[in-house]
Amino acid sequence: MTKPIPVCKIGIVHKDKVKSAQSAIKNEHNILEASEIFKILSDPTRLKIVMALAKEELCVCDIAALLNLTESAISHQLRLLKNSRIVKHRRDGKMAYYTLDDEHIEDLIKAALQHTTE
Amino acid sequence: MTKPIPVCKIGIVHKDKVKSAQSAIKNEHNILEASEIFKILSDPTRLKIVMALAKEELCVCDIAALLNLTESAISHQLRLLKNSRIVKHRRDGKMAYYTLDDEHIEDLIKAALQHTTE
DNA sequence: TTAACGATTGAGCAATTGTTCAACTGAATG
DNA sequence: CATTCAGTTGAACAATTGCTCAATCGTTAA
């Protein structure tokens, strides 16, 4: 904080409104975490992966075939999804099977899809 | 479509599961629109703007003061939010007052915040 | 008309992103 | 053991992003 605060030339704006709005965004930490989730789901490839895993448990190879991308590309994205605790995986021999690790994510996606169809 | 489809060397993976997952992501258009909304909300500055506007009608100057950024930076972000029909504005003299243009967005943000606090 | 000011716009830049490529790991098979 | 192959990883690259700076627009007031 305490940086070179920019304000309209005259000085004060709408003090009361700004103060009220301030209270709506005071929890910086939570906001950053929320934006992180949005960022994860903002890439079409990752969003498709999540939606696919919401329906079926799949191996890396399955997802690569499904999305027509290399296993490497999928693996990179799965790592991000895993770091965000959105997916988890189990190993079975050479294969790695991925599933969703968070049921709330489905509601989030449903809410976003609802916005698109209005 | 019809690109150099990559699949595990052996050939077939889990046909039935892939086919089932395919149905979950068949509506490409909707998925792209959903990811667009997520992308808009994935930037902390934009997310704060939206959360602030969910509580109060504010002018560009107010938001700049609130977030400690230049009016230019805010204006650029507001244009993106306006293009996505998430905010709207009214003019009053020199000032431009912004408000939310979509009540569903608040639910979306609430859902994301819920994910962070579990 | 002129000056002031809130707001907008475009160029430019550093930082971040998603993919490919190549090398590598680790488990299963011969 | 050596080979095979699903999966992972890191480097590199183009493309995108969010901000600053400077110029400009549009409205208000002198």
Side-chain angles (χ1 to χ4, degrees):
Chain A
M1 291 302 138
T2 45
K3 283 183 183 176
I5 304 177
V7 184
C8 308
K9 299 283 168 56
I10 321 184
I12 296 82
V13 244
H14 305 81
K15 272 192 177 178
D16 49 341
K17 286 187 182 177
V18 173
K19 201 164 182 178
S20 165
Q22 185 77 262
S23 72
I25 62 169
K26 61 175 185 292
N27 197 331
E28 177 97 10
H29 177 71
N30 278 1
I31 294 178
L32 290 180
E33 285 207 336
S35 68
E36 265 302 311
I37 297 173
F38 286 134
K39 189 188 289 188
I40 283 287
L41 299 176
S42 72
D43 178 66
T45 298
R46 278 193 300 269
L47 184 54
K48 288 176 191 170
I49 292 175
V50 172
M51 292 174 77
L53 292 180
K55 187 147 194 196
E56 290 289 345
E57 179 188 63
L58 297 170
C59 68
V60 178
C61 225
D62 288 334
I63 305 173
L66 181 63
L67 301 186
N68 206 19
L69 284 171
T70 64
E71 292 166 64
S72 175
I74 300 301
S75 190
H76 278 296
Q77 301 292 22
L78 283 171
R79 188 161 58 89
L80 295 180
L81 290 168
K82 209 171 44 175
N83 288 345
S84 299
R85 301 188 176 284
I86 290 173
V87 308
K88 64 187 173 189
H89 74 296
R90 70 178 174 87
R91 292 206 144 276
D92 182 14
K94 304 182 208 173
M95 321 279 272
Y97 290 93
Y98 283 81
T99 49
L100 282 199
D101 192 23
D102 181 348
E103 67 276 10
H104 298 317
I105 292 293
E106 296 187 61
D107 297 333
L108 198 57
I109 294 174
K110 274 180 198 163
L113 287 173
Q114 207 162 20
H115 171 92
T116 70
T117 58
E118 80 190 13
Chain B
M1 289 303 135
T2 47
K3 284 183 182 176
I5 305 176
V7 183
C8 308
K9 298 282 168 58
I10 320 185
I12 297 82
V13 244
H14 305 82
K15 273 193 176 179
D16 49 341
K17 286 187 183 177
V18 172
K19 200 165 183 176
S20 165
Q22 183 78 262
S23 72
I25 62 169
K26 62 175 186 293
N27 197 331
E28 176 98 9
H29 177 71
N30 278 359
I31 294 178
L32 289 180
E33 284 208 335
S35 67
E36 266 301 311
I37 298 173
F38 286 134
K39 189 189 289 187
I40 284 286
L41 299 176
S42 72
D43 178 66
T45 297
R46 279 194 298 270
L47 184 53
K48 287 175 192 170
I49 292 175
V50 172
M51 292 174 77
L53 293 181
K55 186 147 196 199
E56 290 289 344
E57 180 188 62
L58 298 170
C59 68
V60 178
C61 225
D62 288 335
I63 306 173
L66 181 63
L67 302 186
N68 205 19
L69 284 171
T70 65
E71 293 165 66
S72 174
I74 300 300
S75 191
H76 278 298
Q77 301 293 20
L78 283 171
R79 189 162 58 90
L80 296 179
L81 290 168
K82 208 170 45 174
N83 289 346
S84 300
R85 301 188 177 283
I86 290 174
V87 308
K88 62 187 174 191
H89 75 295
R90 69 178 174 89
R91 292 207 144 274
D92 182 13
K94 304 182 208 173
M95 320 278 272
Y97 290 93
Y98 283 82
T99 49
L100 282 200
D101 192 24
D102 182 349
E103 67 277 8
H104 298 316
I105 292 293
E106 297 187 61
D107 298 334
L108 198 58
I109 294 174
K110 275 179 198 164
L113 286 172
Q114 208 162 20
H115 171 92
T116 70
T117 58
E118 80 190 10

